[in-house]
Coordinates of all heavy atoms in Angstrom, one line a residue:
A1 N -10.9 0.3 8.9 CA -9.8 1.3 8.8 C -8.6 0.6 9.3 O -8.6 -0.3 10.2 CB -10.0 2.6 9.6
F2 N -7.4 1.0 8.8 CA -6.2 0.6 9.3 C -5.2 1.7 9.3 O -5.4 2.7 8.7 CB -5.7 -0.7 8.6 CG -5.5 -0.5 7.1 CD1 -4.2 -0.1 6.6 CD2 -6.6 -0.7 6.2 CE1 -4.1 0.1 5.2 CE2 -6.4 -0.5 4.9 CZ -5.2 -0.1 4.4
E3 N -4.0 1.5 9.9 CA -3.0 2.5 10.0 C -1.8 2.2 9.1 O -1.5 1.1 9.0 CB -2.5 2.6 11.4 CG -1.6 3.7 11.8 CD -1.3 3.6 13.3 OE1 -2.1 4.2 14.0 OE2 -0.3 3.1 13.7
I4 N -1.3 3.2 8.4 CA 0.0 3.0 7.7 C 1.1 3.9 8.3 O 0.8 5.1 8.6 CB -0.1 3.3 6.2 CG1 -0.7 4.6 5.9 CG2 -0.9 2.1 5.5 CD1 -0.7 5.0 4.4
A5 N 2.2 3.3 8.6 CA 3.3 4.1 9.1 C 4.4 4.2 8.0 O 4.7 3.1 7.4 CB 3.9 3.4 10.3
L6 N 4.8 5.4 7.7 CA 5.8 5.6 6.6 C 7.2 5.6 7.2 O 7.5 6.6 7.9 CB 5.5 6.9 5.8 CG 4.0 7.0 5.5 CD1 3.8 8.2 4.5 CD2 3.4 5.8 4.8
A7 N 7.9 4.6 7.0 CA 9.2 4.4 7.7 C 10.2 5.5 7.4 O 11.0 5.9 8.3 CB 9.8 3.1 7.3
R8 N 10.2 6.0 6.2 CA 11.3 7.0 5.9 C 10.9 8.4 6.2 O 11.7 9.3 6.3 CB 11.6 7.0 4.4 CG 12.2 5.7 3.9 CD 12.6 5.8 2.5 NE 12.3 4.6 1.8 CZ 12.4 4.5 0.4 NH1 12.7 5.6 -0.3 NH2 12.1 3.4 -0.2
S9 N 9.6 8.7 6.4 CA 9.2 10.0 6.8 C 8.6 10.2 8.2 O 8.1 11.3 8.5 CB 8.2 10.6 5.7 OG 7.0 9.7 5.7
A10 N 8.6 9.1 8.9 CA 8.1 9.2 10.3 C 6.6 9.7 10.4 O 6.2 10.4 11.3 CB 9.0 9.9 11.2
M11 N 5.8 9.4 9.3 CA 4.5 9.8 9.3 C 3.5 8.6 9.5 O 3.9 7.5 9.0 CB 4.2 10.4 7.9 CG 3.1 11.4 7.8 SD 2.8 11.8 6.0 CE 4.1 13.0 5.7
T12 N 2.5 8.8 10.2 CA 1.5 7.7 10.4 C 0.1 8.3 9.9 O -0.3 9.4 10.3 CB 1.4 7.3 11.9 OG1 2.7 6.9 12.3 CG2 0.4 6.2 12.1
L13 N -0.5 7.5 9.1 CA -1.8 8.0 8.5 C -2.8 6.8 8.7 O -2.5 5.6 8.7 CB -1.6 8.2 7.0 CG -0.5 9.2 6.6 CD1 -0.2 9.2 5.1 CD2 -1.0 10.6 7.0
Q14 N -4.1 7.3 8.7 CA -5.2 6.3 8.7 C -5.8 6.1 7.4 O -6.0 7.1 6.6 CB -6.4 6.9 9.6 CG -6.0 7.1 11.1 CD -5.6 5.7 11.8 OE1 -6.3 4.7 11.5 NE2 -4.6 5.7 12.7
V15 N -6.1 4.8 7.1 CA -6.7 4.5 5.8 C -8.2 4.0 6.1 O -8.4 2.9 6.5 CB -6.0 3.5 5.0 CG1 -6.6 3.2 3.6 CG2 -4.5 3.9 4.8
P16 N -9.2 4.9 5.9 CA -10.5 4.5 6.2 C -11.1 3.6 5.1 O -10.6 3.5 4.0 CB -11.3 5.8 6.2 CG -10.5 6.7 5.4 CD -9.1 6.3 5.4
A17 N -12.2 2.9 5.4 CA -12.9 2.1 4.4 C -13.3 3.1 3.3 O -13.7 4.2 3.5 CB -14.2 1.5 5.1
G18 N -13.2 2.6 2.1 CA -13.6 3.4 1.0 C -12.5 4.3 0.4 O -12.7 5.0 -0.6
R19 N -11.4 4.4 1.0 CA -10.2 5.1 0.5 C -9.1 4.1 0.3 O -9.0 3.2 1.1 CB -9.7 6.2 1.4 CG -10.8 7.0 2.1 CD -11.2 8.3 1.5 NE -10.3 9.1 0.8 CZ -10.6 9.7 -0.4 NH1 -11.8 9.4 -1.0 NH2 -9.8 10.5 -1.0
T20 N -8.3 4.4 -0.7 CA -7.1 3.5 -0.9 C -5.9 4.0 -0.2 O -5.8 5.2 0.1 CB -6.8 3.3 -2.4 OG1 -6.4 4.5 -2.9 CG2 -8.1 2.8 -3.1
I21 N -4.9 3.2 0.0 CA -3.6 3.7 0.5 C -3.1 4.7 -0.4 O -2.6 5.8 0.0 CB -2.6 2.5 0.7 CG1 -3.1 1.5 1.7 CG2 -1.2 3.0 1.0 CD1 -2.2 0.2 1.7
L22 N -3.1 4.5 -1.7 CA -2.6 5.4 -2.7 C -3.3 6.8 -2.5 O -2.6 7.9 -2.5 CB -2.8 4.9 -4.1 CG -2.3 5.8 -5.2 CD1 -0.8 5.9 -5.2 CD2 -2.7 5.2 -6.6
Q23 N -4.6 6.8 -2.4 CA -5.3 8.1 -2.2 C -4.9 8.8 -0.9 O -4.6 10.0 -0.9 CB -6.8 7.8 -2.1 CG -7.5 7.5 -3.5 CD -8.9 7.0 -3.3 OE1 -9.3 6.5 -2.3 NE2 -9.7 7.1 -4.4
V24 N -4.7 8.1 0.1 CA -4.4 8.7 1.4 C -3.0 9.2 1.3 O -2.7 10.4 1.8 CB -4.5 7.6 2.6 CG1 -3.9 8.1 3.9 CG2 -6.0 7.3 2.8
L25 N -2.0 8.5 0.7 CA -0.7 9.0 0.5 C -0.7 10.3 -0.3 O -0.1 11.3 0.1 CB 0.2 8.0 -0.2 CG 0.5 6.8 0.6 CD1 1.2 5.7 -0.3 CD2 1.4 7.1 1.8
Q26 N -1.4 10.3 -1.4 CA -1.5 11.5 -2.3 C -2.1 12.7 -1.6 O -1.6 13.8 -1.7 CB -2.2 11.2 -3.6 CG -1.4 10.2 -4.5 CD -2.1 9.7 -5.7 OE1 -3.3 9.8 -5.8 NE2 -1.3 9.3 -6.7
E27 N -3.1 12.4 -0.8 CA -3.8 13.5 0.0 C -2.9 14.1 1.0 O -3.1 15.2 1.4 CB -5.1 13.0 0.6 CG -6.2 12.7 -0.3 CD -7.3 11.8 0.3 OE1 -7.2 11.4 1.5 OE2 -8.2 11.4 -0.4
N28 N -1.9 13.4 1.4 CA -1.0 13.9 2.4 C 0.4 14.3 1.8 O 1.3 14.4 2.6 CB -0.8 12.8 3.5 CG -2.1 12.7 4.4 OD1 -2.2 13.5 5.3 ND2 -3.0 11.9 4.1
G29 N 0.4 14.5 0.6 CA 1.6 15.0 -0.1 C 2.7 14.0 -0.3 O 3.8 14.4 -0.6
V30 N 2.4 12.7 -0.2 CA 3.4 11.7 -0.5 C 3.2 11.3 -2.0 O 2.1 10.7 -2.3 CB 3.2 10.5 0.5 CG1 4.3 9.4 0.1 CG2 3.3 11.0 1.9
D31 N 4.1 11.6 -2.8 CA 3.9 11.4 -4.2 C 4.4 10.1 -4.7 O 5.6 9.9 -5.0 CB 4.6 12.5 -5.0 CG 4.0 12.8 -6.3 OD1 2.9 12.2 -6.6 OD2 4.6 13.4 -7.1
L32 N 3.5 9.1 -4.8 CA 3.9 7.8 -5.2 C 3.3 7.7 -6.7 O 2.2 8.0 -6.9 CB 3.2 6.7 -4.3 CG 3.7 5.3 -4.4 CD1 5.1 5.2 -3.9 CD2 2.8 4.4 -3.6
P33 N 4.1 7.2 -7.6 CA 3.6 7.1 -9.0 C 2.5 6.1 -9.1 O 2.5 5.1 -8.4 CB 4.9 6.7 -9.8 CG 6.0 6.5 -8.9 CD 5.5 6.8 -7.5
S34 N 1.6 6.3 -10.0 CA 0.5 5.4 -10.2 C 0.1 5.5 -11.7 O 0.4 6.5 -12.4 CB -0.7 5.7 -9.3 OG -1.3 6.9 -9.6
S35 N -0.6 4.5 -12.2 CA -1.1 4.5 -13.5 C -2.5 3.9 -13.6 O -3.4 4.6 -13.7 CB -0.1 3.8 -14.4 OG -0.5 3.7 -15.7
C36 N -2.6 2.6 -13.6 CA -3.9 1.9 -13.9 C -4.9 2.1 -12.8 O -6.1 2.2 -13.0 CB -3.7 0.4 -14.2 SG -3.3 -0.5 -12.7
E37 N -4.4 2.2 -11.5 CA -5.2 2.3 -10.3 C -6.2 1.1 -10.2 O -7.3 1.3 -9.7 CB -5.9 3.6 -10.2 CG -4.8 4.7 -10.1 CD -5.2 6.0 -9.6 OE1 -6.3 6.2 -9.1 OE2 -4.3 6.9 -9.5
Q38 N -5.9 0.0 -10.8 CA -6.8 -1.2 -10.8 C -6.0 -2.4 -10.4 O -6.5 -3.5 -10.6 CB -7.4 -1.4 -12.1 CG -8.4 -0.3 -12.5 CD -9.1 -0.6 -13.9 OE1 -9.2 -1.7 -14.3 NE2 -9.5 0.5 -14.5
G39 N -4.8 -2.2 -9.9 CA -4.0 -3.4 -9.4 C -3.4 -4.2 -10.5 O -3.0 -5.4 -10.3
A40 N -3.2 -3.7 -11.7 CA -2.7 -4.5 -12.8 C -1.4 -4.1 -13.4 O -0.8 -5.0 -14.0 CB -3.8 -4.4 -14.0
C41 N -0.9 -2.9 -13.1 CA 0.4 -2.5 -13.8 C 1.6 -2.5 -13.0 O 2.7 -2.5 -13.5 CB 0.1 -1.1 -14.4 SG 0.2 0.3 -13.1
G42 N 1.5 -2.5 -11.7 CA 2.7 -2.5 -10.8 C 3.3 -1.2 -10.5 O 4.3 -1.1 -9.8
T43 N 2.8 -0.1 -11.1 CA 3.5 1.2 -11.0 C 3.4 1.7 -9.5 O 4.4 2.3 -9.0 CB 2.8 2.2 -11.8 OG1 2.7 1.8 -13.2 CG2 3.4 3.6 -11.8
C44 N 2.4 1.4 -8.8 CA 2.2 2.0 -7.4 C 2.8 1.1 -6.3 O 2.4 1.3 -5.2 CB 0.7 2.2 -7.2 SG -0.2 0.6 -7.1
V45 N 3.7 0.3 -6.7 CA 4.3 -0.6 -5.7 C 5.0 0.1 -4.6 O 5.6 1.2 -4.8 CB 5.3 -1.6 -6.4 CG1 6.5 -0.9 -6.9 CG2 5.6 -2.8 -5.5
C46 N 4.9 -0.5 -3.4 CA 5.6 0.0 -2.2 C 6.1 -1.2 -1.4 O 5.4 -2.2 -1.3 CB 4.7 0.9 -1.4 SG 5.5 1.7 0.0
G47 N 7.3 -1.0 -0.9 CA 7.8 -2.1 0.0 C 7.1 -2.1 1.3 O 6.6 -1.1 1.8
V48 N 6.9 -3.3 1.9 CA 6.3 -3.5 3.2 C 7.3 -4.0 4.2 O 8.0 -5.0 3.9 CB 5.1 -4.5 3.0 CG1 4.5 -4.8 4.4 CG2 4.0 -4.0 2.1
L49 N 7.4 -3.3 5.3 CA 8.4 -3.7 6.3 C 7.8 -4.5 7.4 O 8.5 -5.3 8.1 CB 9.1 -2.5 6.8 CG 9.8 -1.6 5.8 CD1 10.4 -0.3 6.4 CD2 11.0 -2.4 5.1
E50 N 6.5 -4.2 7.8 CA 5.8 -4.9 8.8 C 4.3 -4.9 8.5 O 3.8 -4.0 7.9 CB 5.9 -4.1 10.2 CG 7.3 -4.2 10.9 CD 7.3 -3.3 12.1 OE1 6.3 -3.3 12.9 OE2 8.3 -2.7 12.4
G51 N 3.7 -5.9 9.1 CA 2.2 -6.0 8.9 C 1.8 -7.0 7.8 O 2.7 -7.4 7.0
D52 N 0.6 -7.4 7.8 CA 0.1 -8.4 6.9 C -0.7 -7.7 5.8 O -1.7 -7.1 6.1 CB -0.8 -9.5 7.6 CG 0.1 -10.3 8.5 OD1 1.3 -10.6 8.1 OD2 -0.3 -10.7 9.6
V53 N -0.4 -8.0 4.5 CA -1.1 -7.3 3.4 C -2.3 -8.2 3.0 O -2.2 -9.4 2.8 CB -0.1 -7.2 2.2 CG1 -0.8 -6.5 1.0 CG2 1.1 -6.3 2.6
A54 N -3.4 -7.5 2.7 CA -4.6 -8.1 2.1 C -4.5 -7.8 0.6 O -5.0 -6.8 0.2 CB -5.9 -7.6 2.7
H55 N -3.8 -8.7 -0.1 CA -3.5 -8.4 -1.6 C -4.8 -8.4 -2.4 O -5.6 -9.4 -2.2 CB -2.5 -9.4 -2.1 CG -1.2 -9.3 -1.5 ND1 -0.3 -8.3 -1.9 CD2 -0.5 -10.1 -0.6 CE1 0.8 -8.5 -1.2 NE2 0.8 -9.5 -0.5
Q56 N -5.0 -7.4 -3.2 CA -6.2 -7.4 -4.1 C -5.8 -7.1 -5.5 O -6.6 -6.8 -6.3 CB -7.2 -6.4 -3.6 CG -7.8 -6.8 -2.2 CD -8.7 -5.8 -1.6 OE1 -9.5 -5.1 -2.4 NE2 -8.8 -5.7 -0.3
D57 N -4.4 -7.2 -5.8 CA -4.0 -6.9 -7.2 C -3.9 -8.1 -8.0 O -4.0 -9.2 -7.5 CB -2.6 -6.2 -7.1 CG -1.6 -7.2 -6.6 OD1 -1.5 -7.4 -5.4 OD2 -0.9 -7.8 -7.4
V58 N -3.8 -7.9 -9.3 CA -3.5 -9.1 -10.2 C -2.2 -9.0 -10.9 O -1.9 -9.6 -11.8 CB -4.6 -9.1 -11.3 CG1 -6.0 -9.4 -10.7 CG2 -4.7 -7.8 -12.1
Y59 N -1.3 -8.1 -10.3 CA 0.0 -7.9 -10.9 C 1.0 -8.9 -10.3 O 1.8 -9.6 -11.0 CB 0.5 -6.5 -10.6 CG 1.9 -6.2 -11.1 CD1 2.1 -5.9 -12.5 CD2 2.9 -6.1 -10.3 CE1 3.3 -5.7 -12.9 CE2 4.2 -5.9 -10.8 CZ 4.4 -5.7 -12.1 OH 5.7 -5.4 -12.6
L60 N 1.0 -9.1 -8.9 CA 2.0 -10.0 -8.3 C 1.5 -11.4 -8.4 O 0.3 -11.6 -8.4 CB 2.2 -9.6 -6.8 CG 2.8 -8.2 -6.5 CD1 2.7 -7.9 -5.0 CD2 4.2 -8.1 -7.1
S61 N 2.4 -12.3 -8.4 CA 2.1 -13.8 -8.4 C 1.7 -14.2 -7.0 O 1.9 -13.5 -6.0 CB 3.3 -14.6 -8.9 OG 4.3 -14.5 -7.9
A62 N 1.1 -15.4 -6.9 CA 0.7 -16.0 -5.6 C 1.9 -16.1 -4.7 O 1.8 -15.8 -3.5 CB 0.1 -17.3 -5.8
S63 N 3.1 -16.4 -5.3 CA 4.3 -16.6 -4.3 C 4.8 -15.2 -3.9 O 5.2 -15.0 -2.8 CB 5.4 -17.3 -5.0 OG 5.8 -16.7 -6.2
E64 N 4.6 -14.2 -4.8 CA 5.0 -12.8 -4.4 C 4.0 -12.3 -3.4 O 4.4 -11.6 -2.5 CB 5.0 -11.9 -5.6 CG 6.2 -12.2 -6.5 CD 6.1 -11.5 -7.9 OE1 5.0 -11.2 -8.4 OE2 7.2 -11.2 -8.4
H65 N 2.7 -12.6 -3.5 CA 1.8 -12.2 -2.5 C 2.2 -12.9 -1.1 O 2.1 -12.2 -0.1 CB 0.3 -12.7 -2.8 CG -0.3 -11.9 -3.9 ND1 -1.4 -12.2 -4.5 CD2 0.0 -10.7 -4.4 CE1 -1.8 -11.3 -5.4 NE2 -0.9 -10.3 -5.3
A66 N 2.5 -14.2 -1.2 CA 2.9 -14.9 0.1 C 4.1 -14.3 0.7 O 4.3 -14.3 1.9 CB 3.1 -16.3 -0.2
A67 N 5.0 -13.7 -0.1 CA 6.3 -13.1 0.5 C 5.9 -11.9 1.3 O 6.7 -11.6 2.2 CB 7.2 -12.7 -0.7
N68 N 4.8 -11.2 1.0 CA 4.3 -10.1 1.9 C 5.3 -9.0 2.0 O 5.4 -8.3 3.1 CB 4.0 -10.7 3.3 CG 3.1 -9.8 4.2 OD1 2.0 -9.5 3.8 ND2 3.7 -9.3 5.2
D69 N 6.1 -8.8 1.0 CA 7.1 -7.7 1.1 C 6.9 -6.5 0.2 O 7.7 -5.6 0.2 CB 8.6 -8.3 0.9 CG 8.8 -8.9 -0.4 OD1 7.8 -9.0 -1.2 OD2 9.9 -9.4 -0.7
R70 N 5.8 -6.6 -0.6 CA 5.4 -5.5 -1.5 C 3.9 -5.4 -1.5 O 3.2 -6.4 -1.4 CB 5.9 -5.8 -2.9 CG 7.4 -5.6 -3.1 CD 7.8 -5.8 -4.6 NE 7.8 -7.2 -4.9 CZ 7.9 -7.6 -6.2 NH1 7.9 -6.7 -7.2 NH2 7.9 -8.9 -6.5
I71 N 3.5 -4.2 -1.7 CA 2.0 -4.0 -1.8 C 1.7 -3.0 -3.0 O 2.4 -2.1 -3.3 CB 1.5 -3.4 -0.5 CG1 -0.1 -3.2 -0.6 CG2 2.1 -2.0 -0.2 CD1 -0.7 -2.9 0.8
M72 N 0.6 -3.3 -3.7 CA 0.1 -2.4 -4.7 C -0.9 -1.5 -4.1 O -2.0 -1.9 -3.7 CB -0.6 -3.2 -5.9 CG 0.3 -4.1 -6.6 SD 1.7 -3.2 -7.4 CE 2.9 -4.5 -7.3
T73 N -0.4 -0.3 -3.8 CA -1.2 0.6 -2.9 C -2.5 1.2 -3.5 O -3.3 1.7 -2.8 CB -0.3 1.9 -2.6 OG1 0.1 2.5 -3.8 CG2 0.9 1.4 -1.8
C74 N -2.8 0.9 -4.8 CA -4.0 1.4 -5.4 C -5.2 0.5 -5.1 O -6.3 1.0 -5.2 CB -3.9 1.6 -6.9 SG -3.6 0.0 -7.8
V75 N -4.9 -0.7 -4.7 CA -6.0 -1.6 -4.5 C -5.9 -2.5 -3.2 O -6.9 -2.8 -2.5 CB -6.3 -2.6 -5.6 CG1 -6.8 -1.9 -6.8 CG2 -5.0 -3.4 -5.9
S76 N -4.7 -2.8 -2.8 CA -4.5 -3.7 -1.7 C -4.6 -3.0 -0.3 O -4.4 -1.8 -0.2 CB -3.2 -4.5 -1.8 OG -3.2 -5.3 -3.0
R77 N -5.0 -3.8 0.7 CA -5.2 -3.2 2.0 C -4.5 -4.0 3.0 O -3.6 -4.8 2.7 CB -6.7 -3.2 2.3 CG -7.5 -2.5 1.2 CD -9.0 -2.3 1.5 NE -9.2 -1.3 2.5 CZ -9.2 0.0 2.3 NH1 -8.9 0.5 1.1 NH2 -9.4 0.8 3.4
A78 N -4.8 -3.8 4.3 CA -4.1 -4.5 5.4 C -5.0 -5.5 6.1 O -6.2 -5.3 6.3 CB -3.7 -3.5 6.5
K79 N -4.5 -6.7 6.4 CA -5.2 -7.7 7.3 C -4.9 -7.3 8.8 O -5.7 -7.6 9.6 CB -4.6 -9.1 7.1 CG -5.1 -9.7 5.8 CD -4.5 -11.2 5.7 CE -4.4 -11.7 4.4 NZ -3.6 -12.9 4.2
S80 N -3.7 -6.8 9.0 CA -3.3 -6.4 10.3 C -3.8 -4.9 10.6 O -4.2 -4.2 9.6 CB -1.8 -6.4 10.5 OG -1.2 -5.8 9.4
A81 N -3.8 -4.5 11.8 CA -4.2 -3.1 12.2 C -3.3 -2.1 11.6 O -3.6 -0.9 11.5 CB -4.3 -3.0 13.7
R82 N -2.0 -2.5 11.3 CA -1.0 -1.5 10.9 C -0.1 -2.1 9.9 O 0.3 -3.3 10.0 CB -0.2 -1.2 12.2 CG 0.8 -0.1 12.1 CD 1.3 0.2 13.5 NE 2.1 1.4 13.5 CZ 3.5 1.3 13.6 NH1 4.0 0.1 13.7 NH2 4.2 2.4 13.6
L83 N 0.3 -1.3 8.9 CA 1.3 -1.7 7.9 C 2.5 -0.6 8.1 O 2.2 0.5 8.2 CB 0.8 -1.6 6.5 CG -0.2 -2.7 6.0 CD1 -0.5 -2.4 4.6 CD2 0.4 -4.1 6.2
V84 N 3.7 -1.1 8.1 CA 4.8 -0.2 8.0 C 5.4 -0.3 6.5 O 5.7 -1.3 6.1 CB 6.0 -0.5 9.0 CG1 7.1 0.4 8.8 CG2 5.4 -0.5 10.4
L85 N 5.3 0.8 5.9 CA 5.7 0.9 4.4 C 7.1 1.5 4.3 O 7.4 2.5 5.0 CB 4.7 1.7 3.7 CG 3.2 1.2 3.7 CD1 2.3 2.1 2.9 CD2 3.1 -0.2 3.2
D86 N 7.8 1.1 3.3 CA 9.2 1.5 3.0 C 9.1 2.7 2.1 O 9.5 2.7 1.0 CB 10.0 0.4 2.4 CG 11.4 0.8 2.3 OD1 11.9 1.7 2.9 OD2 12.2 0.0 1.6
I87 N 8.6 3.8 2.6 CA 8.4 5.0 1.9 C 8.6 6.2 2.8 O 8.3 6.1 4.0 CB 7.1 5.1 1.1 CG1 7.0 6.3 0.1 CG2 5.9 5.1 2.0 CD1 5.8 6.2 -0.8
Ligands
LIG101 FE1 -1.4 0.1 -11.5 FE2 -1.5 0.3 -8.8 S1 -1.5 1.9 -10.3 S2 -1.2 -1.5 -10.0

C-alpha cells in the first residue's frame, strides 16, 4: 500500500494492493477521466508533484517516465511511500 495526497483538495488516500489509484480516486468522489484502463491511451493522466512513480503504462516514453512528472493512474503505482498528485 502507499499513500496519495491530492494537492488541490487537501485529501490523503490509501491505495492498497489490488486497487489502482484511479479506482481509489473514483471511490472517493474524485472524477478523473479514464478510458482504456490498461495504461495505453493517456486519458487518466495526472501530474506528480512529489514522490517516485513505478510506471506500468505503455503510453509514456522512457524519457517521460524518467521525468517522473506524470502518472497514468489506471495502472502505475508508487515506489515511494507517498505520491503528491496535482489534482
Ligand atoms: Fe487509458 Fe489510463 S485510462 S491510460
Side-chain angles (χ1 to χ4, degrees):
F2 58 93
E3 185 177 280
I4 51 173
L6 312 189
R8 295 189 221 166
S9 57
M11 205 187 280
T12 300
L13 302 169
Q14 295 295 323
V15 183
R19 319 258 337 130
T20 68
I21 294 174
L22 182 65
Q23 286 169 337
V24 169
L25 289 173
Q26 290 173 339
E27 285 163 7
N28 286 276
V30 181
D31 202 14
L32 196 65
S34 65
S35 178
C36 74
E37 301 199 3
Q38 294 180 24
C41 73
T43 306
C44 67
V45 67
C46 184
V48 176
L49 302 174
E50 283 176 41
D52 292 323
V53 179
H55 292 286
Q56 294 178 31
D57 67 280
V58 294
Y59 179 79
L60 297 174
S61 68
S63 61
E64 287 171 331
H65 284 168
N68 195 64
D69 60 358
R70 286 184 285 168
I71 184 169
M72 295 302 149
T73 56
C74 67
V75 289
S76 296
R77 307 187 68 80
K79 283 183 207 165
S80 50
R82 183 170 190 260
L83 291 178
V84 180
L85 301 180
D86 189 14
I87 189 172

